[in-house]
Amino acid sequence: FAYACICAVALQHFYIFILEVFLWRSRARTVFNLSAEYADLTAAYAANQGVYNSFIAAGLVWGMVYVNFPIMIFFLGTVFAAGIFGGLTAGARIFFLQAVPAFISVTILIFAGHIEGDDESHDEWMKQTVYPYVAVLGGGLAALILGLFVAKRELAERQKRKEVSANLLSVISPRGKV
């Protein structure tokens, strides 16, 4: 079941890669609700993001093929942290589509990887799964703090733009009518 969850996260990022690199001006416009002008202006940035999403998908597949818990946990952790940051800065939908599935996958992976046995195998399990899991949570916390900082700054900038617009309108038309 853990691999099915991880595979779903990898497929999601492969799909995003396809959208951002190859379909940005067509299918991605519908998926991300973009205007044609915005899609044209941001196509190069989207392609760059898409390449990063392909790295995440490849890393998750690499971890599954070689049954390497730290690799899988690392890449799920990057998705988790990016999902938190994106949820705070770009839209809550990203949090639910990226951070939540990654967190669920890494949690299931931790429990699926638990080895019953002697102290030595328990220590190995701790090194292979629990310590990286704690690192994932730390990365998520760092993304949360950074995301809150960026979101606060963006709100302040929006407020400043509103004030400038209101002042400009009052100069243009003292009665507030244009």
Side-chain angles (χ1 to χ4, degrees):
F1 185 67
Y3 273 43
C5 292
I6 296 167
C7 190
V9 173
L11 287 172
Q12 176 190 35
H13 282 80
F14 183 73
Y15 176 66
I16 295 169
F17 158 71
I18 297 295
L19 285 174
E20 291 176 338
V21 172
F22 301 108
L23 304 174
W24 188 249
R25 290 182 175 99
S26 57
R27 174 78 180 127
R29 285 188 47 219
T30 305
V31 172
F32 298 118
N33 195 24
L34 307 172
S35 69
E37 297 81 23
Y38 186 80
D40 284 339
L41 287 171
T42 59
Y45 298 110
N48 189 31
Q49 280 182 193
V51 170
Y52 283 98
N53 278 298
S54 73
F55 295 158
I56 291 171
L60 290 169
V61 170
W62 175 35
M64 287 187 293
V65 167
Y66 289 97
V67 191
N68 190 310
F69 285 95
I71 289 172
M72 289 183 277
I73 290 170
F74 170 79
F75 282 99
L76 288 169
T78 62
V79 173
F80 178 63
I84 289 173
F85 185 82
L88 289 168
T89 59
R93 185 175 140 189
I94 292 173
F95 175 78
F96 292 104
L97 291 175
Q98 287 187 341
V100 170
F103 183 78
I104 290 169
S105 296
V106 80
T107 302
I108 291 169
L109 182 65
I110 294 294
F111 289 110
H114 180 65
I115 302 168
E116 297 288 337
D118 58 14
D119 289 339
E120 193 174 305
S121 63
H122 178 74
D123 290 344
E124 188 60 29
W125 175 73
M126 293 289 286
K127 283 188 241 174
Q128 291 282 321
T129 57
V130 175
Y131 298 150
Y133 187 63
V134 171
V136 164
L137 294 177
L141 180 60
L144 176 63
I145 292 167
L146 183 61
L148 287 172
F149 174 75
V150 170
K152 181 181 176 185
R153 190 178 70 199
E154 181 61 29
L155 286 173
E157 288 293 322
R158 285 182 193 167
Q159 183 62 33
K160 189 189 260 184
R161 285 192 298 267
K162 265 187 190 175
E163 290 170 7
V164 168
S165 295
N167 289 339
L168 186 60
L169 276 177
S170 68
V171 169
I172 294 171
S173 175
R175 295 183 195 167
K177 296 180 182 176
V178 179

